[in-house]
Amino acid sequence: MIRISIDAMGGDIGPAVVIPALQSVALRRNDVRFLVYGREDAVRPELNKYPKLAPIVEFVHCEVAVRMDDKPSQALRHGRWKSSMWKAIEAVKNGEADACISAGNTGALMAMSKFCLRTMATIDRPAIAAIWPTLRGESVVLDVGATIGADAHQLIDFAILGAGMARALFGMERPTVGLLNVGVEEIKGQEDVKEAGLLLREPGKMAMDYHGFVEGDDIGKGTVDVVVTEGFAGNIALKTAEGTVRQISSYLRAAMSRTLMAKIGYFFARGAFKTLREKLDVRRANGGVFLGLNGIVVKSHGGADDEGFAAAIELGYDMVRNRLLDRIEADLDLFHARHPRTGSRSAELAGDNE
Amino acid sequence: MIRISIDAMGGDIGPAVVIPALQSVALRRNDVRFLVYGREDAVRPELNKYPKLAPIVEFVHCEVAVRMDDKPSQALRHGRWKSSMWKAIEAVKNGEADACISAGNTGALMAMSKFCLRTMATIDRPAIAAIWPTLRGESVVLDVGATIGADAHQLIDFAILGAGMARALFGMERPTVGLLNVGVEEIKGQEDVKEAGLLLREPGKMAMDYHGFVEGDDIGKGTVDVVVTEGFAGNIALKTAEGTVRQISSYLRAAMSRTLMAKIGYFFARGAFKTLREKLDVRRANGGVFLGLNGIVVKSHGGADDEGFAAAIELGYDMVRNRLLDRIEADLDLFHARHPRTGSRSAELAGDNE
């Protein structure tokens, strides 16, 4: 049995999207149980619409809901110990749930997750990993926005975290890993990326194959299973790709409705367009996974509909089922035993928890 | 009359792409003259195929050609003073040409351009600007790979350079300018971007309207005319978008050839698909513009065909015609008079020119 804690108050819509998603997941995964946190007056009416959920859902009322525009510090101040977001995360910490899903605001969710779950013993900073559809299938890309900048050791932590996720989700023993970089050689300032590359080339027993540097266009090609970068560039890459998909979809719609011939063509090819739409559907790959914490937290897109939120839940479910955290810890221990790092960890902890 | 110097030896193909491009441009721009640099044995046979070019082309033999895989330092060592790339840039410096176009390797072209033309008096670092097709038309995005990292003053220099380019190319008086950032608030490390935002908000007489922060998906939307970022994130955004376009084109081709109905649909809608292909044609927006130097240098994509190379030439032509450099200098003088910066300029120069 896999137990998932749900922050029902997150996202642009809230319970009206979250509760139908539980129903969808329950139909596909028969050993799932839900711990649902939210305001009684908002969640209960939705739950009543899905009586089949009753035996597998436990609902807990929370007075406070973190707002989508709360700053992380505000969310911590107003929502710690009592908001639906906090309670859902805390359920993972207390061992009542195996993973937590929220469509609430990313900054608040990350701040609370760090505060409540703490980072893994050898990890300085958590990362957010995205699943990126590619020409060869799917890849893990991280960090897509947890932290800005990363030194060589942090990039290697991200590589280990991402490789663990790829092993858990894609069922591969040794995922290929690439460091995102720019093509121009001898450019100033990529010392951290270069140093990380050297460390990853060292022969070792880590369960990954280091490919080398990759560029932005390698992500969509699926050149590697895991693309590693710091959060600023990673976030911009992710958002730029999403924007490009929307842009081309818009061009395509316009082109197919401009002339009678195009409309006739669209009519015949509508099955093919449906296939294409599914390929481009961002809902299918919904869910940013927080890695590096003592527990699994998945951030659903705030604008996701019920199928999108269901995809985020199933992502969390699959990672629990495939023992994500166990897979990560062994590689982390291996690397940090060989490359001990002193001082920064305690400094980071002190800085994070103000 | 506008005089363009051409490095005929750059690119994956070289003269067989470059010389036909001159012919295409000459047919569309009747006041253009070319100074062509390259190896006699490679360029002359191509020139002989286009006798109409004879009155408007002056050819200069150069023994050395910079290779596509030369490192910038190698290119400077072997190619300074004598390679076709150097000679084409030097023609701009000497006032023999108004702009230089090369499809040679980016690092070498930037290194030689900096060494030969020097940066403008108030500019620390040059930038490479790309023209990005958007849902609203086109935007200027910079830096897409000249330098990694940028402090607040350098980001403002980029804003001024990009706004000047938008005014020269799009014929607008006050382009809107956005700073590329990540959506999550209170994230560590974006101090430079924040500080640049504050400086750009100061009331002033600069010929631009500062919009605020934009995210990756705003680029394709065309939210602003000029998107400003440092070179690492900018390069990754550009390459990621290119990769996404190729990925979707591949999905579309596969979808349209999978079933008979789809093929029939494609037949009827082939005009619409042609329109779409033209929209997505990266050749139309070919050309990275080096900004911040005392002269105009345009880098064509190494894999561009003759129409792509022609687009890069015409980009250079249009910027000369619309007095790009004049438009930039006034704003630079205005900003730097109010925000003088001491010390770093000379240090940077010393470091750059080893």
Side-chain angles (χ1 to χ4, degrees):
Chain A
M1 199 179 72
I2 286 174
R3 303 151 307 161
I4 310 273
S5 63
I6 304 281
D7 166 19
M9 305 306 288
D12 301 338
I13 312 232
V17 153
V18 168
I19 306 304
L22 305 186
Q23 172 91 339
S24 301
V25 174
L27 290 171
R28 293 190 287 249
R29 306 275 203 277
N30 60 17
D31 62 344
V32 70
R33 298 291 178 276
F34 297 111
L35 272 164
V36 177
Y37 298 87
R39 286 169 53 100
E40 176 97 35
D41 57 344
V43 178
R44 187 64 74 187
E46 292 299 325
L47 277 174
N48 289 341
K49 293 183 196 165
Y50 299 91
K52 282 187 188 158
L53 283 176
I56 61 164
V57 166
E58 184 182 328
F59 173 65
V60 181
H61 169 69
C62 306
E63 197 57 49
V64 178
V66 171
R67 286 186 304 264
M68 292 305 275
D69 57 353
D70 275 349
K71 291 186 177 176
S73 52
Q74 287 177 315
L76 272 178
R77 207 155 47 236
H78 301 135
R80 207 184 330 166
W81 321 124
K82 53 195 174 193
S83 65
S84 59
M85 184 183 277
W86 176 273
K87 286 287 187 186
I89 298 166
E90 202 179 33
V92 173
K93 187 189 181 192
N94 297 343
E96 298 165 64
D98 303 302
C100 163
I101 322 293
S102 172
N105 95 58
T106 309
L109 187 63
M110 179 53 92
M112 285 197 182
S113 298
K114 270 162 59 172
F115 194 97
C116 181
L117 298 173
R118 307 276 160 163
T119 52
M120 295 170 122
T122 52
I123 291 276
D124 279 347
R125 292 166 155 200
I128 303 176
I131 295 177
W132 196 298
T134 75
L135 286 175
R136 291 180 54 242
E138 288 179 327
S139 298
V140 171
V141 179
L142 77 169
D143 171 28
V144 297
T147 48
I148 292 200
D151 65 23
H153 272 69
Q154 287 161 346
L155 289 172
I156 287 168
D157 286 343
F158 292 174
I160 293 170
L161 296 171
M165 182 166 151
R167 283 186 287 149
L169 286 182
F170 309 148
M172 44 182 54
E173 271 318 296
R174 295 181 66 82
T176 55
V177 173
L179 287 170
L180 195 59
N181 204 343
V182 298
V184 185
E185 298 220 27
E186 291 189 31
I187 202 168
K188 292 173 185 168
Q190 41 186 347
E191 280 70 24
D192 291 324
V193 179
K194 283 181 188 163
E195 190 192 335
L198 291 176
L199 287 170
L200 283 170
R201 283 214 186 281
E202 285 182 7
K205 294 194 182 69
M206 285 198 287
M208 69 176 82
D209 286 320
Y210 175 59
H211 168 93
F213 296 144
V214 294
E215 295 190 57
D217 52 341
D218 286 303
I219 311 176
K221 276 186 209 160
T223 304
V224 289
D225 302 312
V226 181
V227 177
V228 174
T229 186
E230 53 79 40
F232 191 81
N235 183 274
I236 283 165
L238 180 69
K239 295 262 175 75
T240 301
E242 287 173 356
T244 307
V245 170
R246 277 200 289 275
Q247 189 179 354
I248 299 177
S249 302
S250 163
Y251 289 157
L252 190 60
R253 266 195 308 279
M256 288 301 139
S257 59
R258 200 169 285 136
T259 64
L260 179 61
M261 289 288 268
K263 286 178 191 165
I264 294 170
Y266 181 83
F267 177 78
F268 278 100
R270 64 194 184 281
F273 281 109
K274 185 162 172 285
T275 310
L276 183 70
R277 258 198 309 278
E278 284 166 6
K279 273 273 187 198
L280 302 183
D281 187 353
V282 293
R283 294 181 308 175
R284 294 192 337 147
N286 182 38
V289 180
F290 291 4
L291 293 177
L293 302 169
N294 294 304
I296 296 172
V297 176
V298 179
K299 162 73 171 82
S300 166
H301 199 290
D305 63 7
D306 54 328
E307 268 312 307
F309 196 82
I313 297 174
E314 287 172 343
L315 183 57
Y317 175 101
D318 292 345
M319 289 189 298
V320 174
R321 162 79 50 237
N322 297 313
R323 300 186 303 110
L324 171 73
L325 298 185
D326 297 351
R327 282 167 197 267
I328 286 172
E329 292 224 327
D331 269 355
L332 279 177
D333 291 345
L334 199 66
F335 175 74
H336 287 280
R338 285 168 49 202
H339 298 277
R341 188 176 193 178
T342 48
S344 75
R345 163 79 181 159
S346 47
E348 183 75 18
L349 269 180
D352 274 4
N353 297 338
E354 31 58 72
Chain B
M1 199 179 72
I2 286 173
R3 304 151 306 160
I4 311 273
S5 61
I6 303 281
D7 167 18
M9 305 306 287
D12 301 337
I13 313 232
V17 153
V18 169
I19 306 304
L22 305 186
Q23 172 90 339
S24 301
V25 174
L27 290 172
R28 293 190 288 250
R29 307 274 202 276
N30 60 17
D31 62 343
V32 71
R33 297 293 179 274
F34 298 111
L35 272 164
V36 177
Y37 298 87
R39 286 170 53 100
E40 177 98 33
D41 57 344
V43 178
R44 187 64 72 187
E46 293 299 326
L47 276 174
N48 289 343
K49 293 183 196 166
Y50 300 91
K52 282 186 188 159
L53 283 176
I56 61 164
V57 165
E58 183 182 330
F59 173 64
V60 181
H61 169 69
C62 306
E63 198 57 50
V64 178
V66 171
R67 286 186 304 265
M68 291 306 275
D69 58 352
D70 276 348
K71 291 187 176 175
S73 53
Q74 287 177 314
L76 272 177
R77 207 156 46 236
H78 301 136
R80 206 184 329 167
W81 320 124
K82 53 193 174 195
S83 64
S84 58
M85 185 184 276
W86 177 273
K87 286 287 187 187
I89 298 165
E90 201 179 33
V92 173
K93 187 189 181 194
N94 297 343
E96 298 166 65
D98 302 302
C100 163
I101 322 291
S102 172
N105 96 56
T106 309
L109 187 64
M110 179 53 92
M112 286 197 182
S113 298
K114 269 161 63 172
F115 193 96
C116 181
L117 297 172
R118 307 277 160 161
T119 52
M120 295 170 121
T122 52
I123 291 275
D124 279 346
R125 294 167 154 199
I128 303 177
I131 296 177
W132 196 298
T134 74
L135 286 175
R136 290 179 56 242
E138 287 178 328
S139 299
V140 172
V141 180
L142 77 167
D143 171 27
V144 296
T147 48
I148 291 199
D151 65 22
H153 273 69
Q154 287 162 346
L155 288 171
I156 288 168
D157 285 343
F158 292 173
I160 293 170
L161 296 170
M165 182 165 152
R167 283 186 288 149
L169 286 183
F170 309 148
M172 44 182 54
E173 271 318 297
R174 295 180 66 83
T176 54
V177 173
L179 288 169
L180 194 59
N181 203 343
V182 297
V184 185
E185 296 222 25
E186 292 189 30
I187 202 168
K188 292 173 183 167
Q190 41 186 347
E191 280 68 26
D192 291 324
V193 179
K194 283 180 187 163
E195 190 191 336
L198 291 176
L199 287 169
L200 283 170
R201 284 214 185 281
E202 285 182 6
K205 294 196 182 66
M206 286 198 286
M208 68 176 83
D209 287 320
Y210 175 60
H211 169 92
F213 297 144
V214 293
E215 295 190 57
D217 53 340
D218 286 305
I219 311 176
K221 277 185 207 162
T223 305
V224 291
D225 302 313
V226 181
V227 177
V228 173
T229 187
E230 52 78 40
F232 191 81
N235 183 275
I236 283 166
L238 181 68
K239 296 262 174 73
T240 301
E242 287 172 357
T244 307
V245 170
R246 276 200 290 274
Q247 188 179 355
I248 299 177
S249 303
S250 164
Y251 290 157
L252 189 60
R253 267 195 307 278
M256 288 300 139
S257 59
R258 199 169 286 136
T259 64
L260 179 62
M261 290 288 268
K263 287 178 191 165
I264 294 171
Y266 181 83
F267 178 79
F268 278 101
R270 63 195 185 281
F273 281 108
K274 184 161 174 287
T275 309
L276 183 69
R277 259 198 309 277
E278 283 166 6
K279 273 272 187 199
L280 301 183
D281 187 353
V282 292
R283 295 181 308 176
R284 296 191 338 146
N286 183 38
V289 180
F290 292 3
L291 293 177
L293 302 169
N294 295 304
I296 295 172
V297 177
V298 179
K299 161 75 172 80
S300 165
H301 198 290
D305 64 7
D306 55 326
E307 268 312 306
F309 196 82
I313 298 174
E314 287 173 343
L315 183 57
Y317 175 102
D318 290 347
M319 289 189 298
V320 174
R321 164 75 52 236
N322 297 312
R323 301 187 302 109
L324 172 73
L325 298 184
D326 296 351
R327 283 168 197 267
I328 286 171
E329 292 226 326
D331 269 355
L332 279 177
D333 291 346
L334 199 65
F335 176 73
H336 287 280
R338 285 167 50 201
H339 300 277
R341 186 177 195 176
T342 49
S344 74
R345 165 76 184 159
S346 46
E348 182 77 18
L349 269 180
D352 274 4
N353 295 339
E354 27 59 77

